[in-house]
Amino acid sequence: MGRSAYDFERYAYQDLRKYLKSFELPKPLDCDPREILLMLARPDPPFMGHVKRLTITNEPWRILENIRPLALKEALVLTWLNSSIPVEPVHKIDMQDPPYTLPQILSDKFFSYKRSDAEEMKSWLMLPVVTATRVMHTAFPQTTGWVFKAEEEETADSSWFQCARWTPRVHNPGPEEQPVPVRLVMAFQTPFVLNEQDMHAFSACTAFPPYNMGPTNGLPSKYRLWAKIWDTCYSNNCRWFVLTSYTQWVFGVFSKTMRTAFLSSIYKYDSTSPTILELLTYWIASSMGMQVPSVPYRSRSPSSQKLPWVWTSSMPGYRNEAKH
């Protein structure tokens, strides 16, 4: 039987590992089939409507070049979780504390196949985000000072693209006014804006167009989304990211030089073994530099056009790729 975000207090304290393994996200509301037929046609072909409107300018400092598939082996993820997540949580949290508070009611205006607002999506997205925060803090007390914080300032793209950041709960900038550290960026768009075809087009990218290709008003939408994610991570001095429409999830990391991106395969909201909660917990832990198993990824070979397997001693992007 699957466990929900609302079952945490009852079941996670009994067996945290089992809770992660049995975690389920609720299915978003479907649009009525008759309503789908009556909906106006989307203004552009797949991946050419909403994402194309992202405000992106051609910048010489946007140095992303290569996009590589990340072989996020499920067996390795599960091995780390089984060895690192305790059966009994080692730290008790106050469930009334805001970072651990779930929405009392999920929006009934969030749909999988119908236009909906990003604000309506947030209550649904809080389920995995809040639960992952609970897991991290109960399993790894050293992370209790870190939480997800939503983007506070409105931008020209807020209707199409928003994000949350894994960052310290309290930040003391010090006399040198140091920026707030960010370990992971979670970007999200509604499943109508970022549908299945869009996500597949985004994931299929292998390289980013160079700066000298000209103005970005003709840049395909899939590259505009890559640019938006890269810019967000770069401005936060962060290499780890998640992109989700709630119904679909991908996990990525940039190399130290920010010239290469590594992206996992696409996981659906109802993924099992690993569940979305297991994957999200694993990726947060990875962004924190915790001890995680080696992850294989494909890297450019300077002497060959082939893409050989390369194994790191930690997580992708720390070695080998620093030269690319």
Side-chain angles (χ1 to χ4, degrees), residues 46-59:
F47 218 104
M48 291 298 289
H50 309 284
V51 183
K52 187 176 182 180
R53 299 173 187 172
L54 291 176
T55 306
I56 297 296
T57 57
N58 207 349
E59 301 291 351

Side-chain angles (χ1 to χ4, degrees), residues 56-67 202 205-216 218-227 230 259:
I56 297 296
T57 57
N58 207 349
E59 301 291 351
W61 43 259
R62 189 180 295 122
I63 56 175
L64 176 61
E65 297 176 354
N66 305 301
I67 302 167
F202 173 83
C205 293
T206 59
F208 189 80
Y211 169 70
N212 59 9
M213 287 294 287
T216 57
L219 193 66
S221 298
K222 57 187 177 183
Y223 297 126
R224 284 175 174 264
L225 183 52
W226 267 112
W230 189 94
R259 292 182 181 275

Side-chain angles (χ1 to χ4, degrees), residues 252-270:
V253 61
F254 292 103
S255 64
K256 281 187 174 181
T257 62
M258 298 293 287
R259 292 182 181 275
T260 301
F262 302 96
L263 193 71
S264 74
S265 56
I266 300 171
Y267 293 89
K268 293 186 177 181
Y269 76 97
D270 56 356

Side-chain angles (χ1 to χ4, degrees), residues 269-314:
Y269 76 97
D270 56 356
S271 171
T272 59
S273 191
T275 63
I276 291 300
L277 181 58
E278 289 177 313
L279 288 163
L280 187 54
T281 299
Y282 180 83
W283 216 238
I284 296 172
S286 300
S287 73
M288 296 291 289
M290 302 173 69
Q291 295 297 318
V292 294
S294 298
V295 174
Y297 63 90
R298 292 187 183 274
S299 173
R300 182 177 60 183
S301 172
S303 59
S304 173
Q305 295 297 319
K306 296 181 179 180
L307 299 174
W309 285 113
V310 177
W311 290 81
T312 65
S313 60
S314 53

Side-chain angles (χ1 to χ4, degrees), residues 82-142:
N82 285 326
S83 62
S84 302
I85 300 294
V87 173
E88 295 185 7
V90 297
H91 179 69
K92 186 80 171 180
I93 60 175
D94 181 3
M95 302 295 281
Q96 303 305 314
D97 199 357
Y100 312 130
T101 304
L102 292 169
Q104 294 184 348
I105 301 175
L106 297 179
S107 172
D108 60 356
K109 297 180 181 179
F110 174 59
F111 306 97
S112 297
Y113 303 105
K114 178 183 176 181
R115 187 179 283 106
S116 54
D117 191 274
E119 292 300 318
E120 306 295 344
M121 176 183 178
K122 288 183 177 179
S123 62
W124 291 72
L125 196 58
M126 283 180 68
L127 301 181
V129 168
V130 169
T131 308
T133 303
R134 291 175 172 181
V135 171
M136 289 296 298
H137 291 181
T138 55
F140 310 107
Q142 67 270 30

